[in-house]
Amino acid sequence: MMHTIEDLRQANAALDEVAERWSAAYSVNCTNPLDAEAKAAAEKVRHIEEDLKRRGLLPFTAHELLEESLDQRYPDAQSKEVVLYNGKRYRRRFYPLALSKSGKSVKQWVKKWEPLDD
């Protein structure tokens, strides 16, 4: 499905609304009943942004362009591997994006590059 900037605005508004309700329902001692709704709203925003950027309707950030360059240059970089790119050092990191219902295993990972300050 092809999205529009208006779709992104509406998705962000829906995410903000869910975030407010989620905060109001938050309790340290139990699972928030709005967790699934909040995750779905965030995923929708992420999906629309990716579509708009891929089609050139939203610009990529400088960091996203850097990460794309690093991914192309070092496609097989392992977790915590440090590389040198354009005179600067970067470390490959992996973070859990989605956990199982029990929270004991990772269903989906996201990979990022973090700059290292020497």
Side-chain angles (χ1 to χ4, degrees):
M1 177 177 188
M2 294 176 70
H3 298 284
T4 65
I5 298 294
E6 179 60 20
D7 292 337
L8 180 59
R9 188 193 66 70
Q10 290 175 0
N12 274 318
L15 179 58
D16 290 344
E17 186 269 331
V18 169
E20 284 183 31
R21 289 189 294 125
W22 187 92
S23 293
Y26 178 76
S27 171
V28 174
N29 298 326
C30 65
T31 303
N32 192 317
L34 298 172
D35 279 349
E37 187 178 349
K39 286 179 186 176
E43 181 61 32
K44 183 175 183 177
V45 168
R46 196 169 27 256
H47 175 75
I48 292 172
E49 282 181 344
E50 286 174 0
D51 177 56
L52 292 173
K53 287 178 179 185
R54 194 173 45 252
R55 293 187 300 123
L57 298 174
L58 269 183
F60 286 97
T61 65
H63 186 73
E64 288 169 332
L65 294 172
L66 172 66
E67 287 210 351
E68 179 64 27
S69 296
L70 284 163
D71 285 343
Q72 288 177 0
R73 182 95 183 250
Y74 304 101
D76 298 325
Q78 301 298 307
S79 180
K80 298 183 183 176
E81 184 174 338
V82 176
V83 299
L84 185 63
Y85 181 73
N86 290 341
K88 294 185 180 178
R89 295 178 339 126
Y90 298 91
R91 180 184 299 139
R92 169 57 99 198
R93 296 300 302 258
F94 291 84
Y95 301 96
L97 181 63
L99 298 173
S100 64
K101 286 189 179 202
S102 69
K104 293 182 180 178
S105 61
V106 177
K107 292 171 63 176
Q108 187 177 2
W109 292 91
V110 63
K111 51 187 179 176
K112 301 278 184 186
W113 288 98
E114 62 182 16
L116 297 176
D117 297 324
D118 295 321

